[in-house]
Amino acid sequence: IQMTQSPSTLSASVGDTVTITCRASQSISNWLAWYQQKPGKAPNLLIYDASTLESGVPSRFSGSRSGTEFTLTISSLQPDDFATYYCQQYDNFSPWTFGQGTQVEIK
Amino acid sequence: QVQLVESGGGVVQPGMSLRLSCAASGFTFNTYGMHWVRQAPGKGLEWVSYISYDGSKKYYPDSVQGRFTIFRDNSNNTLYLQMNSLRGEDTAIYYCAKVRPGPYPAPPKNWGQGTLVTVSS
Protein backbone atom coordinates (compact mmCIF):
# COMPACT_ATOMS: atom_id res chain seq x y z
CA ILE A 1 0.00 0.00 0.00
CA GLN A 2 1.41 3.37 -1.04
CA MET A 3 0.78 6.55 0.89
CA THR A 4 0.91 9.83 -1.03
CA GLN A 5 1.30 12.79 1.32
CA SER A 6 0.94 16.43 0.30
CA PRO A 7 2.17 19.07 0.34
CA SER A 8 5.85 18.34 0.99
CA THR A 9 6.34 21.82 2.42
CA LEU A 10 3.86 24.24 3.86
CA SER A 11 4.52 27.84 4.91
CA ALA A 12 2.16 29.29 7.48
CA SER A 13 1.87 31.88 10.22
CA VAL A 14 1.01 31.55 13.87
CA GLY A 15 -2.77 31.42 14.17
CA ASP A 16 -3.34 29.92 10.72
CA THR A 17 -5.29 26.74 10.12
CA VAL A 18 -3.32 24.24 8.05
CA THR A 19 -4.30 21.00 6.35
CA ILE A 20 -2.12 18.06 5.36
CA THR A 21 -3.42 15.22 3.22
CA CYS A 22 -2.51 11.56 2.79
CA ARG A 23 -4.02 9.37 0.12
CA ALA A 24 -3.81 5.59 0.30
CA SER A 25 -3.44 3.53 -2.88
CA GLN A 26 -6.16 1.17 -1.62
CA SER A 27 -8.61 0.89 1.22
CA ILE A 28 -7.05 0.90 4.69
CA SER A 29 -10.26 1.41 6.62
CA ASN A 30 -9.38 3.77 9.49
CA TRP A 31 -5.91 2.33 10.06
CA LEU A 32 -4.02 5.59 9.80
CA ALA A 33 -1.88 7.53 12.25
CA TRP A 34 -0.33 10.98 12.21
CA TYR A 35 3.02 11.84 13.78
CA GLN A 36 4.89 15.04 14.51
CA GLN A 37 8.68 15.03 14.40
CA LYS A 38 11.05 17.78 15.42
CA PRO A 39 14.73 17.90 14.39
CA GLY A 40 16.87 15.41 16.28
CA LYS A 41 13.88 13.85 18.02
CA ALA A 42 11.82 10.71 17.64
CA PRO A 43 8.32 11.00 16.17
CA ASN A 44 5.40 11.77 18.47
CA LEU A 45 2.02 10.10 17.90
CA LEU A 46 -0.74 12.68 17.47
CA ILE A 47 -3.72 10.80 16.04
CA TYR A 48 -4.55 7.14 15.49
CA ASP A 49 -7.41 5.29 13.84
CA ALA A 50 -7.70 8.25 11.46
CA SER A 51 -9.42 10.60 13.90
CA THR A 52 -8.73 9.65 17.53
CA LEU A 53 -6.60 12.15 19.39
CA GLU A 54 -3.81 10.57 21.41
CA SER A 55 -3.86 11.39 25.10
CA GLY A 56 -2.04 14.62 25.93
CA VAL A 57 -2.17 15.99 22.38
CA PRO A 58 -3.71 19.48 22.10
CA SER A 59 -7.22 19.62 20.71
CA ARG A 60 -6.16 21.96 17.90
CA PHE A 61 -5.00 18.80 16.14
CA SER A 62 -7.69 16.79 14.39
CA GLY A 63 -7.91 14.04 11.81
CA SER A 64 -10.53 12.96 9.34
CA ARG A 65 -11.14 10.43 6.59
CA SER A 66 -13.00 10.43 3.31
CA GLY A 67 -12.63 7.11 1.56
CA THR A 68 -8.91 6.62 1.05
CA GLU A 69 -8.07 10.27 1.68
CA PHE A 70 -7.00 11.30 5.15
CA THR A 71 -6.53 14.80 6.51
CA LEU A 72 -4.64 16.26 9.44
CA THR A 73 -5.84 19.72 10.42
CA ILE A 74 -4.02 22.02 12.81
CA SER A 75 -6.23 24.87 13.95
CA SER A 76 -4.68 28.08 15.21
CA LEU A 77 -1.08 27.09 14.54
CA GLN A 78 1.22 27.62 17.51
CA PRO A 79 5.01 28.24 17.50
CA ASP A 80 5.55 24.72 18.89
CA ASP A 81 3.76 23.22 15.87
CA PHE A 82 6.44 24.06 13.33
CA ALA A 83 7.78 20.60 12.60
CA THR A 84 7.54 17.75 10.10
CA TYR A 85 4.40 15.64 10.00
CA TYR A 86 4.04 12.07 8.75
CA CYS A 87 1.08 9.83 8.12
CA GLN A 88 1.43 6.07 8.56
CA GLN A 89 -0.93 3.30 7.53
CA TYR A 90 -1.09 0.15 9.65
CA ASP A 91 -3.63 -1.91 7.77
CA ASN A 92 -3.85 -5.44 9.03
CA PHE A 93 -1.40 -7.90 7.45
CA SER A 94 0.14 -5.25 5.21
CA PRO A 95 3.57 -3.72 5.60
CA TRP A 96 3.23 -0.50 7.51
CA THR A 97 4.17 2.48 5.32
CA PHE A 98 4.75 6.16 5.99
CA GLY A 99 3.92 9.12 3.85
CA GLN A 100 6.78 11.23 2.54
CA GLY A 101 6.36 13.89 5.21
CA THR A 102 5.22 17.51 5.30
CA GLN A 103 7.47 20.21 6.69
CA VAL A 104 5.47 23.03 8.25
CA GLU A 105 7.57 26.20 8.11
CA ILE A 106 7.14 29.69 9.46
CA LYS A 107 6.03 32.10 6.74
CA GLN B 1 7.15 5.35 32.39
CA VAL B 2 7.94 3.62 29.13
CA GLN B 3 11.61 3.69 28.27
CA LEU B 4 13.25 2.28 25.16
CA VAL B 5 17.02 2.46 24.77
CA GLU B 6 18.64 1.37 21.51
CA SER B 7 22.26 0.35 21.18
CA GLY B 8 24.56 -1.42 18.76
CA GLY B 9 24.85 1.16 16.02
CA GLY B 10 28.13 2.13 14.44
CA VAL B 11 30.15 2.20 11.24
CA VAL B 12 30.24 -1.00 9.23
CA GLN B 13 31.47 -1.91 5.76
CA PRO B 14 29.10 -2.93 2.98
CA GLY B 15 28.25 -6.61 3.12
CA MET B 16 28.91 -6.89 6.82
CA SER B 17 26.48 -7.55 9.66
CA LEU B 18 25.33 -5.68 12.72
CA ARG B 19 22.93 -6.43 15.54
CA LEU B 20 20.89 -3.71 17.20
CA SER B 21 19.36 -4.02 20.64
CA CYS B 22 16.51 -2.19 22.33
CA ALA B 23 16.23 -2.44 26.11
CA ALA B 24 12.66 -1.91 27.27
CA SER B 25 11.39 -0.89 30.70
CA GLY B 26 8.36 0.66 32.35
CA PHE B 27 5.79 -1.68 30.80
CA THR B 28 4.96 -5.36 30.47
CA PHE B 29 7.20 -6.08 27.51
CA ASN B 30 5.81 -9.52 26.68
CA THR B 31 2.33 -8.14 26.00
CA TYR B 32 3.19 -5.60 23.26
CA GLY B 33 4.16 -5.82 19.64
CA MET B 34 7.29 -3.90 18.70
CA HIS B 35 8.63 -2.17 15.60
CA TRP B 36 11.89 -1.02 14.12
CA VAL B 37 11.69 2.17 12.06
CA ARG B 38 14.60 3.93 10.37
CA GLN B 39 15.35 7.37 9.04
CA ALA B 40 18.14 8.07 6.60
CA PRO B 41 19.96 11.39 7.12
CA GLY B 42 17.67 14.24 6.07
CA LYS B 43 15.02 11.82 4.82
CA GLY B 44 11.63 10.52 5.92
CA LEU B 45 10.61 7.61 8.09
CA GLU B 46 10.76 4.05 6.79
CA TRP B 47 9.19 1.12 8.59
CA VAL B 48 11.69 -1.76 8.89
CA SER B 49 10.02 -4.59 10.80
CA TYR B 50 7.36 -5.65 13.28
CA ILE B 51 7.21 -8.50 15.77
CA SER B 52 4.17 -9.62 17.72
CA TYR B 53 4.15 -9.76 21.51
CA ASP B 54 5.14 -13.43 21.58
CA GLY B 55 7.45 -13.43 18.57
CA SER B 56 5.17 -15.63 16.51
CA LYS B 57 4.50 -13.04 13.80
CA LYS B 58 7.14 -11.03 11.99
CA TYR B 59 6.77 -8.67 9.06
CA TYR B 60 9.25 -6.83 6.84
CA PRO B 61 9.13 -4.55 3.81
CA ASP B 62 10.70 -5.77 0.58
CA SER B 63 13.72 -3.48 1.10
CA VAL B 64 15.03 -5.59 4.01
CA GLN B 65 13.24 -8.93 3.58
CA GLY B 66 15.75 -11.76 3.66
CA ARG B 67 18.56 -9.57 5.06
CA PHE B 68 17.13 -8.34 8.37
CA THR B 69 15.66 -10.44 11.18
CA ILE B 70 13.68 -9.10 14.11
CA PHE B 71 13.50 -11.12 17.31
CA ARG B 72 12.89 -10.59 20.98
CA ASP B 73 13.89 -11.98 24.37
CA ASN B 74 10.88 -11.54 26.61
CA SER B 75 12.76 -12.88 29.61
CA ASN B 76 15.20 -9.96 29.35
CA ASN B 77 12.81 -7.32 27.97
CA THR B 78 14.96 -6.79 24.90
CA LEU B 79 14.19 -6.38 21.22
CA TYR B 80 16.77 -7.09 18.53
CA LEU B 81 17.38 -6.43 14.87
CA GLN B 82 19.93 -8.62 13.13
CA MET B 83 21.07 -6.87 9.96
CA ASN B 84 23.05 -8.86 7.39
CA SER B 85 24.44 -7.99 3.96
CA LEU B 86 24.33 -4.31 4.79
CA ARG B 87 24.23 -1.75 1.99
CA GLY B 88 24.89 1.97 1.79
CA GLU B 89 21.16 2.63 1.63
CA ASP B 90 20.77 1.05 5.06
CA THR B 91 22.58 4.03 6.58
CA ALA B 92 20.08 5.59 8.98
CA ILE B 93 19.03 6.23 12.52
CA TYR B 94 17.21 3.13 13.71
CA TYR B 95 14.41 3.54 16.22
CA CYS B 96 12.63 0.86 18.17
CA ALA B 97 9.02 1.58 19.01
CA LYS B 98 6.28 0.05 21.13
CA VAL B 99 2.72 -0.13 19.82
CA ARG B 100 0.10 1.85 21.62
CA PRO B 101 -2.19 -0.08 23.99
CA GLY B 102 -5.30 -1.48 22.36
CA PRO B 103 -6.42 -4.14 19.93
CA TYR B 104 -4.31 -5.13 16.94
CA PRO B 105 -3.51 -3.40 14.68
CA ALA B 106 -2.13 -0.45 16.58
CA PRO B 107 0.46 2.15 15.54
CA PRO B 108 3.78 2.77 17.26
CA LYS B 109 3.42 5.18 20.17
CA ASN B 110 6.55 5.10 22.33
CA TRP B 111 9.91 5.49 20.62
CA GLY B 112 13.52 5.23 21.68
CA GLN B 113 16.13 7.90 20.98
CA GLY B 114 17.54 5.96 18.05
CA THR B 115 20.93 4.50 17.17
CA LEU B 116 22.90 5.51 14.09
CA VAL B 117 24.06 2.90 11.62
CA THR B 118 26.52 4.00 8.95
CA VAL B 119 27.39 1.62 6.13
CA SER B 120 30.52 2.81 4.39
CA SER B 121 33.81 1.48 3.11
Side-chain angles (χ1 to χ4, degrees):
Chain A
I1 299 174
Q2 306 300 319
M3 302 302 297
T4 303
Q5 185 174 342
S6 63
S8 56
T9 306
L10 190 161
S11 295
S13 302
V14 172
D16 285 352
T17 294
V18 302
T19 299
I20 300 168
T21 299
C22 261
R23 180 173 286 109
S25 59
Q26 64 188 70
S27 175
I28 57 170
S29 186
N30 284 330
W31 307 127
L32 185 107
W34 290 97
Y35 295 88
Q36 177 193 68
Q37 188 181 32
K38 296 182 178 179
K41 300 293 187 181
N44 179 45
L45 178 65
L46 301 174
I47 287 170
Y48 63 96
D49 294 353
S51 61
T52 304
L53 197 66
E54 179 61 41
S55 175
V57 175
S59 59
R60 63 181 179 273
F61 292 91
S62 63
S64 63
R65 170 198 171 195
S66 176
T68 59
E69 185 169 290
F70 299 83
T71 301
L72 172 70
T73 300
I74 312 173
S75 304
S76 188
L77 202 64
Q78 297 300 300
D80 191 49
D81 300 338
F82 291 97
T84 301
Y85 294 84
Y86 295 91
C87 63
Q88 183 202 25
Q89 68 83 15
Y90 48 100
D91 185 55
N92 206 4
F93 305 122
S94 293
W96 288 256
T97 46
F98 288 91
Q100 299 88 342
T102 296
Q103 186 173 3
V104 177
E105 302 178 330
I106 301 174
K107 184 185 288 185
Chain B
Q1 71 281 17
V2 173
Q3 191 167 13
L4 300 168
V5 180
E6 302 94 336
S7 61
V11 180
V12 62
Q13 292 183 335
M16 302 298 284
S17 298
L18 204 61
R19 179 180 293 182
L20 305 183
S21 301
C22 172
S25 60
F27 65 102
T28 307
F29 182 71
N30 62 9
T31 62
Y32 286 94
M34 298 290 293
H35 293 267
W36 285 100
V37 176
R38 69 185 179 184
Q39 188 167 35
K43 302 297 184 181
L45 300 169
E46 180 185 14
W47 171 73
V48 172
S49 61
Y50 167 83
I51 187 168
S52 59
Y53 69 97
D54 61 355
S56 64
K57 296 181 175 64
K58 303 177 183 182
Y59 301 106
Y60 309 91
D62 290 345
S63 58
V64 307
Q65 179 78 50
R67 299 190 300 123
F68 289 12
T69 301
I70 188 171
F71 59 103
R72 62 193 298 162
D73 180 350
N74 283 346
S75 63
N76 286 308
N77 293 346
T78 304
L79 175 72
Y80 298 96
L81 184 68
Q82 177 68 40
M83 304 185 295
N84 298 333
S85 303
L86 282 162
R87 307 166 179 168
E89 55 263 37
D90 296 319
T91 294
I93 296 171
Y94 284 73
Y95 296 100
C96 68
K98 165 191 166 293
V99 300
R100 75 172 309 283
Y104 180 90
K109 170 178 167 54
N110 305 92
W111 300 63
Q113 84 289 349
T115 187
L116 177 61
V117 173
T118 302
V119 183
S120 174
S121 54

